[in-house]
Amino acid sequence: MIKPFDLEHQNKLLKAQQNVGVHANYLIDVLKPAIERGDWKELEALDIGFTVTGESLGKIGDDEAWRNLQPYIDPHAKKARALDFTNDGRVIERNLKNELKALLLKMMWLSPHDHSFDTLYCALTDLKKVINPLLNEGLNTLSALDFDRLETWALTGFTGIDFERTPIYKGLNRLYVEAKGLPFEVGLNKKLNASDFGLALKDAKQSTVIPQRLYYLGLQKSEEMINKAYAFRHELGQLADYIATYFEKAYAGYAKYLVSSEARKVNGGIKWYLGKKNKESKKCTTAFQQAFTALHSPNEDEILTLLRHHKPEINSDYIDNFHTERELTIGHWTITNLKGALALFKALNGGCLWGLMARTGMRGDEMYNLNTAQGCTKDRIERQNIYVIHADLSKTTKGSQSIQDEFVTTEIGMKAYEVLQALHTPLRKRHSGSKSFFHKIKEDFSEVGKASIGKHSIAWFKGAMGEELTLTNEDIVDLKVSDPNLSFELGSNYEFTPHQLRRSFAYYLIGYELCNYPQLKQQFSHVSMAMTRHYAKNASKFQKIRQKKKTLANEIDEERIDQKARVYLSIYEKLANRERVAGGKGKEFAKSMTKTNRNLFKDKVDNDMLSLNYWKKQIRNQNRHLHAVAPGIYCTSTTCGLRTLVNLIECVDCKNDYIVDAIFAEAKRKEAEIHMLYDIENNELTPQTPLNLTLKFKRLNVL
């Protein structure tokens, strides 16, 4: 069933399909049986559906009505989509066209699965690829699409369909999923993929990783700029207001100029200082000049009214002459003209976009859809501030990317969001109905397109890096490790694109072992781990090279080994002193001590388990593993270390655990007691309260 992002609109839309004429539910009583009967004459005469105000969306047989559906189905869509029932500009054969319409109607109104308008658009676009091949074989029905025919097409390659790309499979699998209730037989008995035809999907074009030197410089420069801007974030709205009102104030100055003697030439003509650089500008200027000439001795107010109405362009070389109070100071920055204000706005906007994308791994469309009201929230977990960025909408293609609207970031990422909010809020207020976060700084200050997000971050990066963009030998080594199949020229400038930030985010987090694949998968909201690994491709090679270098990262690795070794040493010292170490691993060793006379603290090569160097060697050689599950609770299983969520109740009697301290679990038990007592004393106890606290405690009660 159709599910636009605005759920309130969805509810209104579905309600509008009820109580239509004599029918309690138009979709079930009329549309569903008509689709199943497959009588095209009957179906074409029916309504596609009804708007929230009860008006018809148009007849099913009217192709123009289908093209105009989006504003009624998904009025807040960021990108215009038209359901076009032509194929390469040619009309589609009637039977095939109506079968496609039947599929879309089923997906829109009757499917048990949720579909966005974009899903309808993609399903139609993908399935139109099979129309010409079917017609070339004298077939005019989608029921002819069976495995044998598709296999022949895939192996011969005569159809022009690329069976090594995902779109064709998405379209065909829509038929399989929605087969029930369609007026034609679907010849597919399972979901298809490339391997069914002995093929492999081509790797998607991948962005390069930003070389370490440039990535680190970018992080440094963006942090410096964001910190400066954040300190004066409450004043940054003045910059947007300065830009938004500049022409209005210039018009006031220009009106004053036109009534003065300064505007008159010696021959009585007027020195206009108006631009005519393009067709639209020329039209506005000409209209204003004609209206002005028609007035007899116009005063300042009359001229200003004409200027506001016709909006002529004042020549950029002279506009500052007509603007009063041009100087504006915000923190470190002083502005004296529009050019300077625009340059500062673009720099701050671009730097914050770059900085936030670099610290979240967000794609451009996710940045574009930042939440305007509560785009950044703060949680406090274990005395640490966790900042979460919220986006309103994202790609929803099943199999590679699910809906995602939350991205963990750093404090600098939070500051970048706050600066962007301060910059764009005044512009957004000029369009009360706008739900877009980003707005233009020219013309009518309306919503920007998605492409602008990328342009601003690219411009900032190039401006901030300057000559540093020239590739060095070290840069080329980094690039070849991350992308061995690409070639780079020493001394050429590095070409940056915004999506490289997402690739670099994944590559360096995995490469520096700052997170595992499941955590990265969760941050990116990938359905498939393969997609996550695709982003971090070749990070393992980077790890090996990194570990050979004596760098800060190498020192961090050594410190990590040292800390793990000390934990192991402390555990085995407790065991040697016959102190209690709970958990499966601790119990197992303690039991072994009682059953043997030999010294279990010596291994086969006579290394002492009660020495720090022994454990360092074991961890460095990857003979032993250790990670913390909770304070005082350690796990030695490598598989658990790859999980994002661990239910601690699973650690009870686990063979891989050492539990050396019960304080954490006891503290949580005491906290649960206090919560219960408070609810009882304040008469707020509900059945849900003890249930939640009991479950929470069970997860922590591992002793």
Side-chain angles (χ1 to χ4, degrees):
M1 187 164 292
I2 194 71
K3 189 173 184 180
F5 179 71
D6 187 342
L7 296 182
E8 183 180 350
H9 180 75
Q10 181 195 28
N11 293 333
K12 290 179 180 177
L13 194 62
L14 295 178
K15 191 174 181 179
Q17 314 311 312
Q18 299 172 6
N19 300 315
V20 177
V22 297
H23 303 287
N25 190 320
Y26 174 77
L27 303 180
I28 302 300
D29 299 344
V30 179
L31 196 59
K32 185 174 183 289
I35 291 174
E36 291 174 349
R37 283 192 293 270
D39 183 335
W40 297 146
K41 187 175 181 180
E42 175 195 11
L43 191 67
E44 288 172 344
L46 293 178
D47 294 295
I48 298 170
F50 299 89
T51 69
V52 293
T53 58
E55 298 171 1
S56 172
L57 288 169
K59 300 300 180 183
I60 293 172
D62 183 359
D63 292 352
E64 189 62 28
W66 284 91
R67 273 191 285 271
N68 298 323
L69 271 186
Q70 189 185 38
Y72 303 104
I73 301 295
D74 193 4
H76 303 302
K78 300 290 185 181
K79 185 174 183 179
R81 301 276 203 190
L83 300 179
D84 183 10
F85 287 95
T86 62
N87 198 20
D88 297 327
R90 291 174 292 181
V91 176
I92 298 175
E93 190 274 336
R94 186 190 182 199
N95 194 67
L96 282 168
K97 178 164 65 173
N98 283 330
E99 287 184 350
L100 289 171
K101 286 181 178 180
L103 173 66
L104 295 190
L105 287 167
K106 165 79 187 298
M107 292 173 66
M108 192 188 310
W109 299 125
L110 304 167
S111 174
H113 309 286
D114 290 332
H115 300 295
S116 67
F117 190 87
D118 280 357
T119 308
L120 301 181
Y121 173 83
C122 292
L124 177 60
T125 303
D126 295 340
L127 282 171
K128 284 199 292 187
K129 293 180 173 67
V130 306
I131 290 174
N132 287 339
L134 284 173
L135 293 175
N136 289 339
E137 295 186 19
L139 302 167
N140 71 336
T141 175
L142 296 175
S143 61
L145 294 170
D146 56 22
F147 181 82
D148 291 339
R149 176 166 279 104
L150 291 169
E151 184 179 40
T152 301
W153 289 358
L155 296 179
T156 58
F158 292 150
T159 61
I161 299 173
D162 192 345
F163 283 88
E164 293 181 315
R165 299 287 187 190
T166 57
I168 184 60
Y169 300 106
K170 289 179 182 177
L172 292 169
N173 290 336
R174 292 288 175 204
L175 282 176
Y176 171 74
V177 170
E178 304 293 346
K180 187 177 180 180
L182 292 177
F184 56 91
E185 290 292 327
V186 174
L188 306 174
N189 56 15
K190 64 168 222 170
K191 283 189 174 183
L192 298 175
N193 55 57
S195 62
D196 293 324
F197 304 110
L199 302 173
L201 291 176
K202 296 174 183 174
D203 284 340
K205 185 179 179 182
Q206 192 169 39
S207 300
T208 60
V209 171
I210 302 172
Q212 289 183 83
R213 179 182 66 86
L214 294 178
Y215 191 56
Y216 181 60
L217 271 175
L219 290 172
Q220 280 185 311
K221 289 179 181 292
S222 65
E223 180 174 351
E224 181 184 358
M225 190 215 73
I226 289 166
N227 279 328
K228 284 182 180 178
Y230 183 76
F232 301 99
R233 64 193 181 282
H234 299 302
E235 301 173 39
L236 286 177
Q238 298 175 40
L239 176 61
D241 285 331
Y242 182 93
I243 294 169
T245 61
Y246 199 88
F247 281 99
E248 179 66 24
K249 291 178 178 178
Y251 278 158
Y254 191 69
K256 187 173 289 192
Y257 160 77
L258 285 179
V259 297
S260 70
S261 58
E262 186 183 348
R264 298 289 183 268
K265 296 180 181 178
V266 176
N267 62 3
I270 295 176
K271 291 180 280 187
W272 289 106
Y273 298 120
L274 296 177
K276 296 183 179 180
K277 64 183 180 183
N278 56 47
K279 189 176 180 180
E280 187 61 30
S281 173
K282 185 176 181 180
K283 180 182 175 182
C284 294
T285 296
T286 302
F288 168 73
Q289 289 173 331
Q290 290 173 349
F292 176 83
T293 306
L295 292 176
H296 179 67
S297 299
N299 58 37
E300 216 174 296
D301 289 339
E302 290 174 323
I303 296 172
L304 188 56
T305 301
L306 287 179
L307 287 166
R308 289 170 176 167
H309 177 70
H310 294 288
K311 294 183 173 58
E313 179 186 354
I314 300 175
N315 193 306
S316 58
D317 293 334
Y318 300 98
I319 189 170
D320 292 335
N321 298 340
F322 307 112
H323 193 291
T324 57
E325 302 175 3
R326 291 199 304 271
E327 187 170 305
L328 173 66
T329 299
I330 301 172
H332 312 279
W333 305 286
T334 298
I335 300 154
T336 57
N337 53 43
L338 180 61
K339 184 178 179 180
L342 293 173
L344 177 58
F345 189 101
K346 289 176 182 177
L348 295 176
N349 188 58
C352 288
L353 282 167
W354 196 98
L356 185 54
M357 291 173 77
R359 290 166 175 85
T360 57
M362 294 171 74
R363 297 192 316 272
D365 69 322
E366 290 162 341
M367 284 294 297
Y368 179 74
N369 288 292
L370 279 177
N371 189 296
T372 57
Q374 203 175 18
C376 184
T377 56
K378 181 175 78 172
D379 290 327
R380 192 160 180 84
I381 302 174
E382 296 294 327
R383 293 174 297 183
Q384 183 177 4
N385 291 332
I386 306 296
Y387 300 98
V388 180
I389 301 297
H390 301 270
D392 284 334
L393 187 63
S394 186
K395 188 167 61 176
T396 57
T397 305
K398 286 194 174 184
S400 62
Q401 179 86 22
S402 64
I403 293 174
Q404 168 71 338
D405 64 355
E406 293 185 351
F407 303 85
V408 177
T409 190
T410 63
E411 184 179 6
I412 296 299
M414 175 275 293
K415 290 180 177 180
Y417 170 83
E418 293 295 342
V419 173
L420 289 170
Q421 181 75 291
L423 288 171
H424 287 276
T425 297
L427 302 177
R428 202 181 304 130
K429 286 179 178 178
R430 299 176 74 88
H431 299 270
S432 57
S434 173
K435 293 189 177 181
S436 180
F437 189 95
F438 298 96
H439 280 248
K440 297 176 184 176
I441 49 174
K442 59 182 182 179
E443 298 168 357
D444 61 349
F445 309 103
S446 59
E447 302 172 5
V448 302
K450 287 183 184 179
S452 298
I453 302 297
K455 289 177 183 176
H456 291 172
S457 56
I458 291 171
W460 176 83
F461 188 70
K462 286 184 176 179
M465 294 296 107
E467 295 180 358
E468 296 288 351
L469 286 172
T470 304
L471 291 174
T472 64
N473 278 320
E474 183 183 1
D475 296 334
I476 291 175
V477 169
D478 282 344
L479 288 166
K480 291 295 286 183
V481 170
S482 64
D483 297 279
N485 296 326
L486 299 179
S487 59
F488 303 92
E489 186 178 344
L490 181 67
S492 62
N493 280 351
Y494 179 72
E495 295 296 327
F496 167 75
T497 61
H499 207 66
Q500 290 166 0
L501 291 171
R502 186 171 171 90
R503 166 96 160 100
S504 302
F505 181 87
Y507 181 83
Y508 288 122
L509 277 180
I510 296 296
Y512 277 109
E513 298 178 85
L514 298 175
C515 80
N516 290 316
Y517 280 104
Q519 285 86 358
L520 183 61
K521 176 175 176 284
Q522 184 172 326
Q523 176 79 355
F524 282 1
S525 192
H526 286 149
V527 173
S528 164
M529 181 66 81
M531 179 62 74
T532 307
R533 290 186 178 278
H534 178 68
Y535 272 96
K537 189 177 180 181
N538 294 321
S540 57
K541 294 180 182 178
F542 174 73
Q543 282 180 10
K544 292 176 183 177
I545 293 173
R546 188 200 85 223
Q547 289 164 358
K548 292 177 183 178
K549 296 180 180 179
K550 289 297 178 183
T551 62
L552 174 61
N554 187 260
E555 292 178 18
I556 292 171
D557 291 338
E558 288 299 315
E559 178 63 22
R560 186 181 289 139
I561 290 170
D562 183 75
Q563 289 186 14
K564 288 181 179 181
R566 290 183 186 280
V567 172
Y568 260 118
L569 180 60
S570 68
I571 290 171
Y572 275 77
E573 283 176 343
K574 282 180 177 288
L575 290 168
N577 293 330
R578 299 192 179 277
E579 296 178 37
R580 187 186 179 204
V581 176
K585 208 78 171 173
K587 290 177 183 178
E588 179 188 353
F589 192 89
K591 185 183 284 187
S592 299
M593 287 175 61
T594 63
K595 292 183 177 181
T596 182
N597 294 323
R598 71 183 183 87
N599 186 353
L600 295 180
F601 294 96
K602 298 279 187 180
D603 73 359
K604 294 179 181 178
V605 291
D606 201 30
N607 283 333
D608 191 352
M609 289 186 180
L610 299 181
S611 72
L612 186 63
N613 286 336
Y614 171 81
W615 291 110
K616 283 185 178 180
K617 180 181 177 182
Q618 292 293 307
I619 295 167
R620 188 176 288 111
N621 293 338
Q622 297 183 350
N623 295 327
R624 296 286 189 122
H625 169 81
L626 188 80
H627 67 270
V629 177
I633 305 172
Y634 303 95
C635 180
T636 61
S637 170
T638 54
T639 56
C640 286
L642 291 173
R643 295 167 60 188
T644 56
L645 298 172
V646 177
N647 185 340
L648 296 188
I649 200 169
E650 299 171 19
C651 299
V652 176
D653 294 327
C654 173
K655 294 181 180 179
N656 299 307
D657 283 351
Y658 289 113
I659 301 173
V660 297
D661 195 345
I663 293 176
F664 178 71
E666 176 60 22
K668 291 298 179 182
R669 186 191 66 78
K670 193 66 179 176
E671 182 184 326
E673 276 186 15
I674 293 170
H675 280 304
M676 287 280 288
L677 182 60
Y678 177 87
D679 285 352
I680 292 169
E681 289 177 347
N682 291 275
N683 198 28
E684 294 181 359
L685 188 65
T686 64
Q688 192 67 27
T689 304
L691 177 62
N692 288 340
L693 292 172
T694 302
L695 289 173
K696 182 178 180 182
F697 176 64
K698 278 185 177 179
R699 291 187 179 98
L700 300 165
N701 188 13
V702 293
L703 293 179

